[in-house]
Amino acid sequence: MSLTAVEVKKIAHLARLAINEADTPKYVSELSTILDFVAQMDKVDTGSILPMAHPLDVTQRLRADEVTEPNQRELFQSIAPSVESGLYLVPQVIE
Amino acid sequence: MHNHTIAELAAGLKAKKFSSKEITEAFLKRIKELDNKLNSFITVCEEQAHKDAQIADAMLAKGNAKPLTGIPIAQKDIFCTQGIKTTCGSKILDNFIAPYDATTITHYKQAGAVLLGKTNMDEFAMGSSNENSFYGPVKNPWDLNRVPGGSSGGSAAAVAARLAPGATGTDTGGSIRQPAALCNLTGLKPTYGRVSRYGMIAFASSLDQGGPMARTAEDVAMMLGVMAGFDTKDSTSVDKPVPDYTATLNDSLAGIKIGLPKEFFNAGLDANIAKVIEAAIKEYEKLGATIHSISLPNCELSVPAYYVVAPAECSSNLARFDGVRYGFRCANPKDLEDLYKRSRGEGFGAEVKRRIMIGTYALSAGYYDAYYLKAQKIRRLISDDFRQAFSQVDFILGPTSPSTAFKIGEKSNDPIKMYLSDIYTIAANLAGLPGMSIPAGFVDGLPVGMQLLGNYFTEARLLNVAHGYQQVTDWHKKTPENF
């Protein structure tokens, strides 16, 4: 499985990762090698096998619909990169 | 003081031979003097440690001490500690002061343990050598040119050098067991769901499990008793009572059935390591165990399946690091997309980026069935192999790692070579089974670990099997010369 530079750039975009143009060939080769490696899975016919999403076959536990968390906005925003009037600041999105 | 095990320190505290203050100061002093050689701590919590020791000494004086009261413990820097920097070994969390405690940290606090510091690790627990840390590699105290293993490499090096009597680790594909093996420690990865994952920064949620690392099975049993338990804050936590893991340590091993998977003793295993493991098997025979040959035919696919499942889950878990709510933000973002992309691109290291991209690809439209679904089906086959094996034997024994500690830089440019360091440990994570690594001997002066795997929730019996071996061998008592 060989990826192209275009595919690697698309994956990086989907993952919202900036990668340097100069590093692209390295990612192309490393990611292709890893995909080749995992392709060993194709040796086994898994047609009728049920996929296993979770090690213990349990159903998701639900809790009572009650408020359990206090409002800690100030504490949480004290570690944010940029905050004003209780809001997280990001570059302008809407013109 | 630093040569005592946790059990010995606890007995000394109870007998008032020394105080928690004295123990804590002794370990803080060793960290100050020796950690510049190892780089095993990211943050040393001197102030907090003194406070905790004071509280512990008061508990001891009042007579309401618990087994770990007053014992200094190093915490892997993946566990959130309220008011204390929690980095997960990453630049993206270099400025992150956790606003709450992980459940594991809460449990240690309630037990009266002392928080000694936060240990170095591979970034987001992704690695087998501790070379992927933003804070630099950790050195193995047995040979400073070699890696301590990873991802819990800081915890392993700190305990092996006796800068801490015990430390926590997390194990997604071997990250407790492999560094324990490479540093001559006893480490346990519990059954998935046994230890709460709340506040333990997520890498691959269906595989991650926290656990203890110390010098003896007895110490590990004491620590697991504190860490294990049901937690409503972790939706995959299992509601099962926690036994007293120390109560059954001395049970007889007569008649236990130990299985040796032929796939763990094939050509990929170093011949000298095989000899060490064979000697350990003989010890178990002397203790009354019967040895059986078994097969785990699909286990050779555990590393390929893991490198789909773990990256897929990590690409989703690590989406939360966006430069908006906490952590690193790039300078002068020109728009929101630039902010996301550069904060993540500059904040994450190379291995983390590789895994996020592999996971993103495996989950992307058109590739999901070929990669993620396929890997989940292989996961079922591996789990079925174990089910079959545990219908024949009580425990599975083999090497923890295919080699002893390798040189720093030896595998860092070859991801696949690095991934194969975990060839014997990953299957247990995919199946969710408990596993241990215990010291079994040396090759050329470097420690060799033996791995024991048990059926679901057999931690007490696993510890019993490890402890039995440690009563007739002294490998776990060996310590590195210069520490």
Side-chain angles (χ1 to χ4, degrees), chain B residues 151-286:
Chain B
S151 67
S152 313
S155 289
V159 178
R162 286 153 298 139
L163 307 187
T168 54
T170 60
D171 191 315
T172 304
S175 284
I176 287 174
R177 290 162 287 159
Q178 185 253 14
L182 271 44
C183 290
N184 206 45
L185 297 182
T186 307
L188 187 148
K189 171 217 153 339
T191 307
Y192 183 83
R194 180 76 286 190
V195 169
S196 170
R197 293 183 297 107
Y198 179 75
M200 192 179 102
I201 297 170
F203 158 20
S205 304
S206 78
L207 305 164
D208 297 341
Q209 188 60 197
M213 304 171 81
R215 282 159 53 212
T216 66
E218 184 183 21
D219 287 0
V220 167
M222 290 174 77
M223 290 174 72
L224 184 62
V226 168
M227 296 177 79
F230 178 57
D231 182 11
T232 52
K233 290 174 175 165
D234 171 0
S235 67
T236 59
S237 171
V238 175
D239 192 359
K240 250 185 193 292
V242 177
D244 176 355
Y245 294 110
T246 60
T248 47
L249 285 174
N250 291 305
D251 285 3
S252 164
L253 301 185
I256 61 159
K257 293 184 195 162
I258 293 179
L260 310 178
K262 61 174 198 249
E263 294 81 4
F264 284 16
F265 292 88
N266 60 16
L269 179 62
D270 179 283
N272 292 317
I273 291 181
K275 266 188 216 154
V276 168
I277 303 299
E278 278 155 23
I281 295 165
K282 294 240 159 61
E283 289 295 338
Y284 273 116
E285 281 182 306
K286 282 190 225 159

Side-chain angles (χ1 to χ4, degrees), chain A residues 21-85:
Chain A
E21 193 61 46
D23 289 339
T24 308
K26 193 166 171 263
Y27 280 113
V28 167
S29 120
E30 286 172 348
L31 300 184
S32 300
T33 309
I34 296 169
L35 290 175
D36 279 341
F37 175 73
V38 304
Q40 286 177 61
M41 295 192 303
D42 296 336
K43 285 198 291 198
V44 181
D45 176 15
T46 50
S48 58
I49 309 293
L50 274 178
M52 178 172 156
H54 192 278
L56 305 171
D57 283 318
V58 288
T59 46
Q60 191 79 29
R61 200 175 57 242
L62 299 176
R63 64 166 175 83
D65 186 16
E66 289 159 2
V67 177
T68 54
E69 289 288 326
N71 182 0
Q72 301 186 70
R73 174 192 284 222
E74 275 172 34
L75 173 65
F76 293 154
Q77 292 200 329
S78 68
I79 51 171
S82 181
V83 172
E84 201 181 292
S85 322

Side-chain angles (χ1 to χ4, degrees), chain B residues 332-351:
Chain B
N332 308 315
K334 67 178 199 297
D335 55 30
L336 188 57
E337 188 170 299
D338 186 48
L339 182 149
Y340 291 149
K341 284 186 171 175
R342 280 201 295 121
S343 297
R344 291 164 62 76
E346 293 165 23
F348 290 133
E351 178 62 18

